[in-house]
Amino acid sequence: MTDQLPKGLGWLTHWRGWLTRRGVNFDQFCLLLSTKLLLVTRSSGGLGLRLNQSAKPSAHPLRTSFLWNLLIGGALAIFLALPLPLMFGLSSFTSALFLMFFLTMLTSYATLLLDPKDRLIFGVRGVGDRTLNAVRVGLVTLFLGATMLAQGGPAIIVLVLRFGPLVGLAGLISVVLLGVFALMIALLFYLLVLRFFDGEKLKNILNIVQIALVAGIYLVSQLPNLLPNSVDFSGLLHTGFSWWYLIALPVWFAGLPLLAHGTFTALAFLLTGLSLIGTIALTWAYLHHAAAFEQYLEKLDQSGTTIRHNSRYFRLMRRLFAGHGDEAAYFTLGWRMLQSEREYKLRVYPQLVYGLILPMVLGANVLRNMSFSQASHYLVYLGVGVIFGLPTAIWFLAYSSQPEAMGVFRYVPLAHPGLLLRGIVKAVFARIFLPLLLVIAVVALAIGGVHAITPVALSIALTYMVALVYGRSMGPKQLPFSEEFGPQKGMQGGAIGFAMVFVSMIFLALIIFVGGLVFSPWLDLAAIALAALVAWLIGRGYKTMVI
Amino acid sequence: MTPAISLDHVTKHFGNKQVLQGVSFSIDPGTIVGYIGPNGAGKSTTVKIILGLLQQDGGTINLFGTPLRPEDNDYKRRIGYVPESADVFDALTAREYLTLIGQVYGLSADVAEAKAQGLATVVGLAPAFDRRIAGYSKGMRQLVLIIASLLHNPDLLFWDEPLNGLDANTVLIVEEILQELRNRGKTIFYSSHIMDVVQKLSDRIILLNDGVVAADGAFKDIAGAVDANAGLQELFSQLTGFNEHGQRAKEFVDLVMGGDAHD
């Protein structure tokens, strides 16, 4: 059955012995892997309930995603192209690559990593758990390999050109180790959660772990920026040993290229050792429990028995944003879908964390040189950072794990499909963004006192306005929740989320900079009024959307 | 005779709920068993345990005289399974899907494909054989699942609502197929909520209620013990203690007629 493998994957036959010794049926492995690849290339058409006939999906989604990731890789390579000390360039590059790679993995491939259906289809027909897991990890590795090639490739070329082929080779090995390390961390965390939780709690904890993982990786990546003594006056890393190197996981992978460059310091040896031992230990630990992963995944297919009650918050939000008419029903639909669509949460929540942490990281260098009172003028505006999470949150409204359910709108009289979208976009704002903004508001009020009231209100008004603008402009071009999730769509979404970060960043930098600099409640109030007016106008525009 | 399958005091719980409370039965080869019960009675859980998708908490299961162990997989090649939900890969054609499943069961690609095509032709699926399953009707998908369960000539069949979506003529063909398989020594575990068909086809009926075997035997024996004149549908109601059909239906229609959608 090895002849089933696509041409480019013939080299996998060299792994037959190793996989067989690990309990994998190699013939079944090849068969299922090739089938899975075929399935990925055959994108499901969804329901085709288009709102905008002129918007066509990409004909080559995988190629498009690769090019997006290549663009990201080009941006990351700048760290190594600039005339900076190699240690600084490498650690900045590995930190940024780790972040991007981890984010892409969690947002785009969580579907493949946590798909419980394989066991139902193949497990009952004699395919063992180790084989199923090898197929799962193999498939994800192929996609992640392509992602890593695109995101890390340009930097490797820069390393070869600037420092020679040996450093380039060491960089390549480090990038591969980094990818394996990131994948194994994610798999082991999932394994732990699957092992110890059941039912609804399991699904909720999985989302929390996603968020915690992304937040944790962001934080350890940014330790050099956030800690007071890790960066000198010129913004460059200290090259001596500091305790934080032990937990700054991404920086470990700067060690091997440093050694290849001839930097034989204790720090370079330590980092190299940590990267090698860490990756090998995690891989060994995961492989030891690989079969159990498939068994535990079965839990995700068990239906929950939780009875849904309408919370006071939900009822209040529905009344506030959607009144009592048709839109209230659409708001409820959106709210419930957001509550139950695991795939949506897996992709959107990590981006939201990104939005929360990135402004702090970007601002850390500037803010730490200010007095607290000065810095507080800027800090109270950081809530607008949640807007970073909006593009992904709106983009993924197009998808669902059960798109056929939206077929009901084919045979019921739906007078204003735009209202359906608006109700759902409002639910996104009220369910995902507003609670977060309220938590940030509490923190901002603690920092800035009464002076934080108008900046907080401005953050809320702007986020609502941008949600409606994104919903109208880049929201689903067909009925929401009517296309099936697929990895290639995830890749597009991840890349688009990243691209929109740059667009959003300019907007947010402007708000935070101008707001913090002027720090006038009157300016805030004027901006709130403007945002409310734009939101009202855009909101009205939804009514005219037609199928 | 060695039983095709035997369960001895099998138990299973999910959270606080005891789904199977000591299920025991033994089935000889060449038997059609109607495995019935209300929703949530534990039927699917039993089948999932036998298929290795779940692990029982207690009790033992033997297949053709050999105890089931969680790490075993080869025994599954003697089983054919039609799941209640149509879990197939929509993006594949029937030819691709059935060849894949045949290969998973250990057939060569050529043999699997030829056999699948032959079976598809007999049941009238040939014209759609090279179309993606995504465009299939419910009945056509069901035929794909039925063929997938038989490609490897299994000894034991688990069919869960196999007649879902099939047209009347195809139902007759499938019923005949089941009886022919039984006559040739296959053991068939047939689960359905359509009591007329279960009554007509089954040599033996096992009724599960709240995780315990509430009745087990030939239809005439069960009827003799409960109500000799009743059909399986009535017996089912009596054995599961439900007799509010008329009242529930009236309430339902009252609510339907009380709406104001036309106003």
Side-chain angles (χ1 to χ4, degrees):
Chain A
M1 289 186 209
T2 51
D3 57 349
Q4 300 280 344
L5 284 171
K7 277 181 188 171
L9 297 180
W11 53 270
L12 277 173
T13 51
H14 297 298
W15 291 74
R16 174 190 280 272
W18 186 80
L19 286 168
T20 306
R21 280 195 297 279
R22 298 216 57 80
V24 174
N25 181 320
F26 190 73
D27 286 338
Q28 289 180 340
F29 170 79
C30 294
L31 179 66
L32 299 192
L33 187 65
S34 54
T35 304
K36 290 273 184 180
L37 285 168
L38 178 69
L39 288 170
V40 170
T41 56
R42 288 187 186 171
S43 171
S44 166
L47 285 177
L49 301 176
R50 305 192 75 78
L51 294 175
N52 179 357
Q53 296 291 348
S54 63
K56 289 180 183 163
S58 165
H60 302 284
L62 291 172
R63 191 196 301 165
T64 309
S65 311
F66 184 83
L67 291 174
W68 271 112
N69 282 320
L70 200 60
L71 194 69
I72 294 168
L76 298 182
I78 292 172
F79 287 118
L80 294 168
L82 293 173
L84 295 165
L86 185 59
M87 172 63 186
F88 180 75
L90 279 171
S91 59
S92 303
F93 163 69
T94 54
S95 296
L97 180 66
F98 203 101
L99 284 179
M100 285 317 304
F101 185 73
F102 210 74
L103 194 65
T104 310
M105 183 171 64
L106 291 191
T107 55
S108 303
Y109 302 112
T111 321
L112 292 176
L113 287 172
L114 297 172
D115 179 9
K117 292 246 174 334
D118 284 356
R119 207 159 179 255
L120 203 60
I121 295 176
F122 297 117
V124 297
R125 295 181 166 112
V127 181
D129 288 333
R130 286 197 176 275
T131 305
L132 285 176
N133 194 257
V135 173
R136 180 187 306 283
V137 175
L139 185 67
V140 172
T141 304
L142 287 177
F143 282 120
L144 289 179
T147 304
M148 186 54 88
L149 182 72
Q151 292 185 354
I156 304 299
I157 293 169
V158 172
L159 277 181
V160 172
L161 293 176
R162 280 195 67 196
F163 303 102
L166 187 63
V167 178
L169 180 66
L172 178 67
I173 294 170
S174 278
V175 163
V176 172
L177 286 175
L178 184 151
V180 175
F181 185 86
L183 175 63
M184 291 304 145
I185 281 189
L187 286 171
L188 282 167
F189 267 96
Y190 286 146
L191 187 70
L192 281 175
V193 176
L194 289 166
R195 164 72 182 81
F196 290 106
F197 296 94
D198 293 288
E200 285 292 311
K201 195 182 273 182
L202 166 64
K203 292 165 189 172
N204 294 332
I205 297 277
L206 266 179
N207 285 317
I208 291 169
V209 164
Q210 292 268 114
I211 295 168
L213 272 175
V214 177
I217 294 296
Y218 283 146
L219 286 175
V220 295
S221 302
Q222 297 303 328
L223 277 176
N225 277 322
L226 298 173
L227 290 173
N229 297 320
S230 53
V231 181
D232 65 20
F233 65 92
S234 60
L236 300 183
L237 276 177
H238 283 306
T239 49
F241 175 76
S242 300
W243 65 267
W244 56 263
Y245 279 118
L246 294 175
I247 55 168
L249 310 179
V251 182
W252 294 358
F253 299 90
L256 194 58
L258 276 177
L259 284 183
H261 184 246
T263 312
F264 299 119
T265 60
L267 180 64
F269 279 108
L270 175 76
L271 295 178
T272 305
L274 287 171
S275 67
L276 288 171
I277 293 167
T279 308
I280 291 168
L282 288 183
T283 307
W284 179 85
Y286 176 72
L287 289 179
H288 198 66
H289 297 95
F293 191 89
E294 296 301 314
Q295 289 155 22
Y296 297 147
L297 271 183
E298 186 76 22
K299 292 182 183 179
L300 288 175
D301 229 15
Q302 291 163 11
S303 51
T305 51
T306 310
I307 295 169
R308 299 279 184 207
H309 295 288
N310 288 340
S311 67
R312 279 185 193 170
Y313 178 72
F314 163 70
R315 292 199 303 267
L316 176 68
M317 290 298 112
R318 185 171 60 181
R319 183 96 185 259
L320 202 62
F321 286 104
H324 290 291
D326 290 354
E327 196 174 1
Y330 306 145
F331 183 92
T332 305
L333 169 70
W335 188 283
R336 292 295 180 221
M337 292 298 277
L338 296 173
Q339 208 165 23
S340 61
E341 283 287 347
R342 194 166 54 89
E343 306 255 3
Y344 182 88
K345 293 181 190 175
L346 288 175
R347 287 167 153 98
V348 171
Y349 286 12
Q351 284 282 1
L352 203 55
V353 180
Y354 191 39
L356 278 178
I357 295 178
L358 201 66
M360 282 190 264
V361 169
L362 293 175
N365 261 328
V366 181
L367 294 177
R368 68 169 153 212
N369 295 323
M370 294 180 180
S371 66
F372 179 76
S373 132
Q374 249 185 324
S376 69
H377 290 187
Y378 295 90
L379 285 171
V380 290
Y381 286 95
L382 287 183
V384 289
V386 299
I387 289 175
F388 279 128
L390 266 174
T392 326
I394 300 293
W395 170 263
F396 281 114
L397 283 179
Y399 305 104
S400 167
S401 54
Q402 44 170 166
E404 62 279 2
M406 290 302 281
V408 67
F409 292 105
R410 274 181 170 152
Y411 52 82
V412 298
L414 180 64
H416 300 292
L419 277 188
L420 173 69
L421 180 60
R422 192 175 74 182
I424 291 171
V425 169
K426 286 178 177 178
V428 169
F429 173 76
R431 181 175 159 71
I432 300 176
F433 289 86
L434 191 55
L436 208 57
L437 282 163
L438 293 175
V439 172
I440 294 169
V442 173
V443 178
L445 287 168
I447 292 172
V450 288
H451 298 297
I453 293 174
T454 53
V456 161
L458 179 61
S459 302
I460 294 172
L462 280 176
T463 309
Y464 181 58
M465 180 199 83
V466 176
L468 287 173
V469 170
Y470 281 165
R472 186 79 172 83
S473 59
M474 63 167 285
K477 303 301 178 216
Q478 48 187 311
L479 281 180
F481 308 120
S482 64
E483 273 197 79
E484 194 160 12
F485 275 112
Q488 72 277 32
K489 285 158 187 167
M491 286 163 83
Q492 280 175 309
I496 282 168
F498 182 77
M500 288 305 291
V501 161
F502 285 109
V503 177
S504 305
M505 199 182 288
I506 297 165
F507 178 66
L508 298 184
L510 196 71
I511 300 293
I512 295 169
F513 177 73
V514 175
L517 195 68
V518 180
F519 201 59
S520 157
W522 299 111
L523 182 67
D524 292 341
L525 288 172
I528 291 167
L530 184 66
L533 178 68
V534 173
W536 182 73
L537 287 172
I538 294 284
R540 277 174 61 90
Y542 277 79
K543 285 184 183 170
T544 58
M545 294 173 84
V546 287
I547 286 179
Chain B
M1 187 189 292
T2 307
I5 183 166
S6 63
L7 275 72
D8 188 19
H9 292 94
V10 171
T11 57
K12 178 72 186 173
H13 78 282
F14 293 122
N16 295 327
K17 192 180 180 204
Q18 195 68 36
V19 181
L20 299 180
Q21 307 185 51
V23 172
S24 302
F25 54 76
S26 181
I27 298 160
D28 291 331
T31 313
I32 297 180
V33 178
Y35 195 49
I36 59 174
N39 290 328
K43 302 187 299 293
S44 297
T45 303
T46 318
V47 174
K48 281 186 172 180
I49 289 172
I50 296 168
L51 290 168
L53 289 173
L54 294 172
Q55 178 69 36
Q56 74 265 35
D57 299 330
T60 55
I61 301 171
N62 282 274
L63 239 74
F64 303 103
T66 308
L68 269 194
R69 292 180 306 165
E71 64 273 22
D72 284 345
N73 257 315
D74 286 344
Y75 77 89
K76 292 176 187 171
R77 296 193 177 191
R78 298 186 72 177
I79 296 176
Y81 177 48
V82 174
E84 186 187 9
S85 58
D87 286 316
V88 289
F89 295 117
D90 281 355
L92 299 182
T93 65
R95 182 190 298 278
E96 290 167 337
Y97 178 74
L98 291 170
T99 306
L100 165 73
I101 297 300
Q103 286 183 275
V104 168
Y105 276 126
L107 304 178
S108 73
D110 292 343
V111 170
E113 187 177 341
K115 195 163 181 183
Q117 187 153 19
L119 293 171
T121 304
V122 172
V123 294
L125 197 62
F129 201 55
D130 287 308
R131 272 174 29 206
R132 288 192 192 181
I133 297 171
Y136 279 22
S137 68
K138 200 171 176 181
M140 290 159 81
R141 298 166 84 91
Q142 201 63 24
L143 283 175
V144 170
L145 289 171
I146 288 173
I147 294 171
S149 76
L150 293 168
L151 275 173
H152 55 301
N153 189 21
D155 297 312
L156 177 59
L157 292 167
F158 288 94
W159 282 15
D160 199 348
E161 295 290 0
L163 305 182
N164 263 348
L166 298 181
D167 66 48
N169 285 333
T170 315
V171 165
L172 290 175
I173 295 173
V174 173
E175 287 178 8
E176 291 289 336
I177 289 172
L178 275 174
Q179 295 184 53
E180 190 62 33
L181 287 166
R182 183 261 318 273
N183 293 341
R184 298 198 196 183
K186 308 292 186 191
T187 308
I188 297 139
F189 230 73
Y190 184 96
S191 185
S192 175
H193 291 298
I194 306 169
M195 294 297 123
D196 294 347
V197 181
V198 176
Q199 181 180 340
K200 178 176 151 191
L201 292 175
S202 306
D203 303 311
R204 178 175 161 190
I205 289 164
I206 297 175
L207 192 153
L208 207 62
N209 193 27
D210 283 336
V212 294
V213 176
D216 181 359
F219 169 70
K220 60 178 174 36
D221 295 336
I222 297 175
V226 181
D227 180 352
N229 297 319
L232 185 58
Q233 181 79 59
E234 290 78 35
L235 288 178
F236 184 93
S237 299
Q238 288 182 40
L239 288 164
T240 54
F242 184 77
N243 57 5
E244 300 169 354
H245 320 88
Q247 187 193 333
R248 295 269 184 106
K250 187 175 176 308
E251 275 177 34
F252 189 90
V253 175
D254 284 348
L255 285 169
V256 170
M257 303 295 281
D260 57 357
H262 297 295
D263 297 341

